[in-house]
């Protein structure tokens, strides 16, 4: 039987992965929703205008949108389908993307309702990463506690002799 920690990690990975594949696809193509795609184009134009430094290094609003959309799709696929350590890397990259998106929304002065989803999914990504890392650290701690207990017992035997 799988532990509750494992079930939580799998469920979060799958749900977050699907969400980011969906959102990344909306940023890349109008096939899913023309209205949402148009809104993304408009939003990224305002982000690019608010950050003139991007234009200086050759990053247009279209390129910025495609970079973030591609990262979301790629990392979403990894979170959904790929087992092991790559999920943690994808999780971390998506967390960085969410921080950048929150920064963009703050920069252009969007109200909370426009970026609440980024805040919520950033928190979920953080929780998933912490749970995944905690589950790896725990067996080492238990092993070191057992070793410490055995060492303490041996020291007590030596003192008694």
């Amino acid at each position: 039987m799988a532990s509750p920690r494992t079930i939580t990690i799998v469920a979060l990975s799958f749900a977050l992965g699907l969400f980011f594949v969906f959102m990344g696809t909306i940023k890349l193509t109008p096939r899913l929703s023309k209205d949402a795609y148009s809104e993304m184009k408009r939003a990224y134009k305002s982000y690019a205008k608010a950050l003139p430094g991007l234009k200086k290094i050759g990053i247009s609003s279209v390129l910025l949108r495609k970079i973030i959309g591609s990262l979301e799709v790629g990392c979403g696929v990894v979170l959904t389908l790929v087992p092991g350590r790559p999920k943690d890397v994808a999780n971390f990259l998506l967390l960085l993307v969410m921080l950048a998106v929150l920064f963009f929304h703050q920069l252009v002065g969007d109200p909370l309702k426009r970026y609440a989803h980024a805040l919520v999914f950033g928190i979920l990504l953080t929780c998933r990463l912490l749970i995944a890392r905690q589950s790896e650290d725990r067996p080492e701690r238990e092993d070191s506690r057992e070793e410490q207990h055995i060492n303490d017992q041996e020291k007590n035997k030596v003192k008694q002799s």
Side-chain angles (χ1 to χ4, degrees):
M1 175 110 188
S3 71
R5 189 174 282 140
T6 303
I7 293 169
T8 303
I9 291 170
V10 169
L12 275 173
S13 297
F14 189 75
L16 288 168
L18 289 179
F19 170 78
F20 282 107
V21 167
F22 177 73
M23 290 306 293
T25 304
I26 285 177
K27 288 177 179 76
L28 296 174
T29 180
R31 287 185 183 171
L32 293 179
S33 171
K34 290 181 182 182
D35 293 337
Y37 178 74
S38 298
E39 178 60 27
M40 290 293 176
K41 284 174 63 174
R42 185 204 59 74
Y44 277 87
K45 283 180 185 175
S46 68
Y47 303 153
K49 284 180 187 174
L51 287 168
L54 290 176
K55 196 74 162 175
K56 290 178 185 175
I57 60 172
I59 298 178
S60 65
S61 65
V62 174
L63 184 59
L64 180 65
R65 181 173 42 84
K66 287 184 179 185
I67 289 170
I68 290 179
S70 298
L71 270 171
E72 287 180 351
V73 169
C75 291
V77 167
V78 170
L79 272 178
T80 306
L81 301 175
V82 178
R85 190 67 85 179
K87 282 187 182 204
D88 291 343
V89 174
N91 193 141
F92 184 72
L93 288 173
L94 286 170
L95 193 55
L96 292 177
V97 168
M98 287 297 97
L99 290 173
V101 168
L102 288 170
F103 173 73
F104 292 152
H105 282 290
Q106 285 294 308
L107 192 65
V108 297
D110 282 342
L112 178 63
K113 68 180 183 178
R114 295 261 310 149
Y115 62 89
H117 70 282
L119 194 57
V120 169
F121 283 96
I123 291 168
L124 287 172
L125 285 166
T126 302
C127 289
R128 190 223 162 268
L129 193 59
L130 290 174
I131 292 168
R133 301 302 300 161
Q134 183 181 15
S135 66
E136 291 175 3
D137 293 344
R138 188 167 205 141
E140 292 174 11
R141 287 184 192 154
E142 289 175 1
D143 290 344
S144 65
R145 285 182 187 162
E146 288 176 12
E147 289 173 10
Q148 182 66 33
H149 182 67
I150 291 169
N151 289 339
D152 289 344
Q153 286 178 344
E154 289 175 3
K155 287 179 184 177
N156 288 338
K157 287 180 184 178
V158 172
K159 287 180 183 178
Q160 291 175 357
S161 304

